[in-house]
Amino acid sequence: MVLSRRGVVIGGLALVAAGATGNIAQAATAKSFFAGTASDNDFVYRKTNFAKIDKRWHRQIVKYFSSESVGTVVVDTRHHFLYLIMENKTAIRYGVGVGKEGFKWYGRATIDRRALWPQWVPPPEMRKRRPELPPMIAGGASNNPLGPRALYLYRDGADIGYRLHGTLEPWSIGTDASSGCIRMFPEDIIDLYQRCPIGTAVEVLPHIADQAPASTTVE
């Protein structure tokens, strides 16, 4: 088959059009995960369209048998759930997104810092891998991946670089998606934040952490 220059140009334009159509479709799909906006502490965020979210990831009270004290946060990375232990063998269960190959830490920690609309400073390792990232994104910015709240985990008084925070990608809840931290729906991290004072105990259960390469990259 002989291709003319005109045929090549037309074919190229067709591919560009197909790519544009694909991008439009992806944007439309992403948009469907949101349902309007809400105001919080003078900032606005996009509300999650929970009708689009599998009900297993919805926040709910469940039976939970554990020897951990009431008020402890337990992160089950294998099944993508975070539990806040309550009285009478129950817990509030939240769906979460967890780390992929960069997720390296598990064990016990405490929440020693909490932040409303935190700024995000990409770790040096992440900026090396993604040089297009800015050195800092202000809290409340539309592209800040931490969302409306962040809970910072410490061990023996030291920040371990691991956070519980919101997400701009509600479709990533229930998956191994982040570079290390635990992602939650904006509504859920706001709810968890108000239930977890400084000093809250956290246990992160093993998953892929025990096989991850040494890295401090988190997101």
Side-chain angles (χ1 to χ4, degrees), residues 16 23-24 30 50 56 74 96 137 141 147 154 157 178 180 200:
V16 170
N23 290 337
I24 292 171
F50 283 100
R56 86 177 87 169
V74 178
V96 297
I137 297 179
Y154 284 66
S178 78
T200 294

Side-chain angles (χ1 to χ4, degrees), residues 1-218:
M1 180 177 65
V2 178
L3 292 177
S4 66
R5 181 177 181 278
R6 180 173 180 274
V8 170
V9 171
I10 292 174
L13 291 174
L15 289 174
V16 170
T21 301
N23 290 337
I24 292 171
Q26 289 176 358
T29 297
K31 186 177 180 180
S32 70
F33 281 90
F34 301 99
T37 61
S39 179
D40 173 83
N41 288 273
D42 299 323
F43 291 102
V44 174
Y45 68 93
R46 291 188 293 177
K47 296 191 298 182
T48 305
N49 178 12
F50 283 100
K52 181 77 173 178
I53 304 297
D54 190 312
K55 289 185 178 180
R56 86 177 87 169
W57 311 126
H58 290 202
R59 181 170 74 243
Q60 55 194 285
I61 296 177
V62 298
K63 280 291 184 183
Y64 190 77
F65 299 88
S66 173
S67 59
E68 300 292 339
S69 301
V70 171
T72 300
V73 170
V74 178
V75 182
D76 179 352
T77 59
R78 183 177 299 278
H79 299 103
H80 304 94
F81 290 123
L82 181 151
Y83 296 89
L84 176 61
I85 297 177
M86 309 290 282
E87 296 178 343
N88 301 317
K89 296 181 173 58
T90 63
I92 302 177
R93 190 182 76 184
Y94 306 82
V96 297
V98 304
K100 44 189 176 182
E101 73 280 355
F103 175 45
K104 82 175 195 68
W105 185 90
Y106 65 92
R108 294 184 180 274
T110 57
I111 294 172
D112 284 358
R113 180 186 167 201
R114 311 186 322 150
L116 287 166
W117 292 100
Q119 69 177 18
W120 183 56
V121 178
E125 295 84 356
M126 183 178 288
R127 292 198 66 206
K128 184 180 296 185
R129 191 173 69 247
R130 297 177 56 191
E132 77 279 5
L133 288 173
M136 185 274 288
I137 297 179
S142 61
N143 61 337
N144 185 319
L146 300 185
R149 305 286 189 275
L151 301 172
Y152 298 76
L153 301 191
Y154 284 66
R155 192 176 190 184
D156 299 325
D159 184 351
I160 62 173
Y162 195 90
R163 291 88 171 89
L164 315 177
H165 61 74
T167 183
L168 300 175
E169 302 174 343
W171 52 87
S172 69
I173 300 301
T175 69
D176 297 353
S178 78
S179 295
C181 293
I182 298 299
R183 298 178 175 185
M184 304 179 71
F185 295 119
E187 295 85 354
D188 284 355
I189 191 61
I190 289 173
D191 182 82
L192 184 67
Y193 178 95
Q194 65 187 8
R195 298 177 187 275
C196 293
I198 295 294
T200 294
V202 177
E203 182 183 13
V204 179
L205 302 177
H207 175 24
I208 54 177
D210 53 352
Q211 301 174 6
S215 170
T216 57
T217 298
V218 294

